[in-house]
Amino acid sequence: MTIDRKYALVASPTEEAQEAEALLREHHDFVDLKDAEGVIALGGDGFMLQTLHQMLAEHRIKPVFGMNLGTVGFLMNEWRPVGLEKRLAQAKTFTVTPLRMDAVTVDGDTVSSPAINEVSLLRETRQTAKLEVKAGGNVVIDELVCDGVIVATPAGSTAYNLSARGPILPMGSNMLALTPISPFRPRRWRGAILPDTTRIAFRVLEPLKRPVSAVADQREVRDVATVDVHLDTSLTLSLMFDPEHALDERIAREQFIV
């Protein structure tokens, strides 16, 4: 049976995802990614992020309908091979704007990368990190002593950010979460919620003694000296969800899970 819209099918290399891909190909016709109007992704949240980053890198941005064949699957729909045509036709689409991380290493190299969930700064050794934090061009913390710090989007606020006791941000809130990881000084600082128009900048203090890495979703840059983070409004991603399991409702429900 042919799905009305032209979809490409991609799958995680896991055995379960590969078997699911073979099953769908037996019953549906799919096209190459370059000819597709949308993408069906089979795997977990990590594979979804990988798929989205690949599309950003190749400048082939298309709506993605994910089905969970991984562990958590927060960004995915339930795996059900039956009734796929109807699910795609009724899917609710959410627009996600990624962050842009611009990192400069101690050697002077510059690395830029998008981040759909979060940008994280993490200490590389047993030494705590010491960071100067700027928001909107102003120094808001002279010296943050911590294991690290996270800048998270609403879509990513229920992931690493939540594990670090950061706030859950509703979709459409136009906010970013700035969350410290094991902060030692200032002792009582637990983070901030900032408008997503805010440019956030970090300067690593004592970078040779206390090396820090920066991670944009799954891409790590080691030994950074400065990291600038802002919302990249030039990029827009679309995620498709079953109406009964839409992303905004999932994020809202997470606030009541104990």
Side-chain angles (χ1 to χ4, degrees), residues 217-243:
D217 285 344
Q218 300 163 334
R219 184 179 185 185
E220 181 183 25
V221 182
R222 295 183 69 82
D223 301 328
V224 295
T226 63
V227 178
D228 294 328
V229 182
H230 66 277
L231 202 68
D232 191 345
T233 55
S234 69
L235 300 176
T236 300
L237 297 164
S238 295
L239 301 180
M240 301 169 63
F241 291 90
D242 292 318

Side-chain angles (χ1 to χ4, degrees), residues 3 5-9 29-31 36-40 63 88 240:
I3 298 170
R5 198 174 186 181
K6 292 182 178 179
Y7 280 88
L9 180 64
D29 296 324
F30 296 99
V31 299
E37 299 173 75
V39 178
I40 297 172
L88 292 172
M240 301 169 63

Side-chain angles (χ1 to χ4, degrees), residues 36 154-155 185 252:
R185 290 286 189 275

